[in-house]
Amino acid sequence: MAKYKGDILELLYHNRSTYLSGQTIAERLAISRTAVWKTIELLKQQGFRVHSVQNKGYQLTGFPEEWDQDMMALIIKQSSYFKRRFVYKEVTSTQLVAKEKLLEIDEPFIVISEVQTAGRGRFNRSWDSQGTKGLWMTAVFRRDVPLQKMMSFNLFLSLAIAKTIRRMSGAEAKIKWPNDIYIDDRKCCGFLTEISGEAALIQNIICGIGINLNHEASDFQQDLAVKATSLKAATGHPVNRYQFLEELLIEIEAAFRQFLVLDFKDIKDEYGQYSNIWQRKLRYTEGTTVVEGVAVEILDDGRLVVQDEKGTLHHFMSADIEI
């Protein structure tokens, strides 16, 4: 009955606020009631929670812990931008896989893995990618973009991610300029953006995103326990990974459309409201430049202005900031 799984799952998913009778499902799909029942049993065996009530029918109430191929296909089917998805149990990193896929795919796609054995963030830092605990993905955007415009891409995307986290968890997600997401001064999300194309025109934007969703505080190694958090650790409530992914794709697709037609100055005020660096003396490192000071402004082009103790102003394009 696996051949009916995708269709029945789609019906249950889009009607998950109510019950669908076996007869209704059978009539909509032109299959037998027996086929419906067998497929529902298959869904349960694969980790879906389907509540059955006599004379009412079936209701989808829960999802497998691991990523399910048919459920992921359903989410991508709803996407207005991404056309394909690749889901793995384990990879070195979704970023590396995405770069390989670029050689054979000419449309936008996402790569997701349950586990990354060599996940990396900015400044080549390792990222602990535990299976079923978080969202480890790379989103590949295919569009000609002038090179000079790329400076603001991470600013648009980080705002989209922070909005999703707030809406889906209730946690007060903040952005550490330019693109790390924090909750209560602990990092819950980072992403790495790489590009390819010609000298002045970008054709591919490869954006690797790692979000700690359902980690317990005890899941973090001792050296990370004071620096990292997850949505669950911060709020006490687990996050449905499928629903989070669905909402995140909607948000980042909207942000990408904004990025293509707007300048950073058009969202600068909103971005500033999400920032966690204001009115704090912090250490900023960019290359060999190290400055201790207070952030005073984000310029229209996305650069950060920091004032040191002597009153000197320093402009940063992508500094490492110690919170």
Side-chain angles (χ1 to χ4, degrees):
M1 294 300 109
K3 64 180 179 179
Y4 301 127
K5 178 189 169 186
D7 291 334
I8 290 180
L9 183 58
E10 183 171 2
L11 279 176
L12 292 174
Y13 185 71
H14 288 312
N15 294 277
R16 60 189 182 277
S17 62
T18 186
Y19 288 85
L20 283 181
S21 70
Q23 184 64 36
T24 298
I25 296 173
E27 290 176 353
R28 290 191 185 183
L29 299 179
I31 60 178
S32 69
R33 289 281 300 275
T34 300
V36 172
W37 178 81
K38 288 184 176 180
T39 304
I40 295 293
E41 291 303 304
L42 175 65
L43 288 171
K44 291 178 180 179
Q45 292 169 16
Q46 294 180 349
F48 290 92
R49 292 193 296 277
V50 183
H51 192 218
S52 305
V53 176
Q54 191 173 5
N55 298 323
K56 293 183 70 174
Y58 305 105
Q59 183 180 36
L60 182 64
T61 60
F63 302 85
E65 286 191 1
E66 295 187 351
W67 296 118
D68 177 83
Q69 291 282 358
D70 292 286
M71 189 66 218
M72 299 297 279
L74 176 56
I75 290 175
I76 292 300
K77 182 179 179 180
Q78 299 175 94
S79 171
S80 62
Y81 182 75
F82 297 103
K83 303 304 179 185
R84 298 182 65 179
R85 95 284 178 222
F86 300 91
V87 185
Y88 299 91
K89 293 285 187 182
E90 182 178 302
V91 296
T92 51
S93 81
T94 59
Q95 200 78 345
L96 291 176
V97 173
K99 290 178 184 178
E100 294 171 357
K101 295 292 183 185
L102 275 173
L103 301 175
E104 57 189 68
I105 299 173
D106 60 1
E107 56 188 358
F109 64 92
I110 65 170
V111 176
I112 289 184
S113 183
E114 210 58 82
V115 175
Q116 295 182 114
T117 58
R120 295 288 171 183
R122 293 174 67 222
F123 310 110
N124 204 35
R125 290 172 178 154
S126 63
W127 186 275
D128 185 7
S129 309
Q130 300 181 44
T132 74
K133 298 280 187 175
L135 173 59
W136 328 122
M137 66 175 280
T138 292
V140 177
F141 301 85
R142 312 299 299 269
R143 180 67 181 264
D144 290 347
V145 178
L147 180 61
Q148 67 269 20
K149 188 173 178 59
M150 277 304 303
M151 183 175 174
S152 67
F153 176 83
N154 284 355
L155 306 177
F156 278 86
L157 263 289
S158 58
L159 186 55
I161 295 170
K163 287 180 178 180
T164 304
I165 290 174
R166 287 191 180 190
R167 186 168 64 253
M168 295 301 295
S169 72
E172 191 71 5
K174 294 279 190 177
I175 303 170
K176 187 189 79 172
W177 180 93
N179 62 328
D180 287 335
I181 312 298
Y182 276 61
I183 301 172
D184 299 328
D185 278 352
R186 287 181 166 87
K187 186 174 179 178
C188 68
C189 169
F191 65 92
L192 172 67
T193 300
E194 297 177 284
I195 56 177
S196 65
E198 300 174 359
L201 192 66
I202 302 304
Q203 278 89 41
N204 306 303
I205 305 173
I206 309 106
C207 184
I209 303 171
I211 307 177
N212 299 332
L213 295 178
N214 289 319
H215 297 68
E216 304 285 353
S218 59
D219 287 327
F220 297 108
Q221 298 177 7
Q222 188 172 4
D223 59 331
L224 290 177
V226 296
K227 301 178 182 179
T229 190
S230 73
L231 276 59
K232 182 180 180 181
T235 66
H237 303 292
V239 175
N240 182 308
R241 293 199 303 168
Y242 292 99
Q243 291 179 352
F244 186 92
L245 174 60
E246 183 178 17
E247 292 298 319
L248 178 63
L249 291 179
I250 291 171
E251 200 67 58
I252 66 175
E253 288 168 22
F256 186 61
R257 289 192 295 269
Q258 281 189 320
F259 162 73
L260 293 174
V261 299
L262 300 179
D263 296 319
F264 173 66
K265 65 181 180 180
D266 298 312
I267 65 163
K268 185 173 74 169
D269 289 344
E270 184 179 21
Y271 182 93
Q273 292 170 11
Y274 274 75
S275 179
N276 68 351
I277 60 174
W278 306 122
Q279 300 178 331
R280 308 174 69 173
K281 184 179 179 180
L282 301 170
R283 181 188 294 268
Y284 297 81
T285 303
E286 188 172 79
T288 59
T289 300
V290 181
V291 174
E292 288 191 3
V294 177
V296 294
E297 183 184 6
I298 300 178
L299 301 178
D300 287 349
D301 63 4
R303 287 179 297 160
L304 182 68
V305 182
V306 175
Q307 185 176 50
D308 65 21
E309 292 180 339
K310 296 180 180 180
T312 303
L313 297 179
H314 304 263
H315 291 191
F316 292 99
M317 293 183 64
S318 182
D320 183 25
I321 306 173
E322 297 178 35
I323 294 289

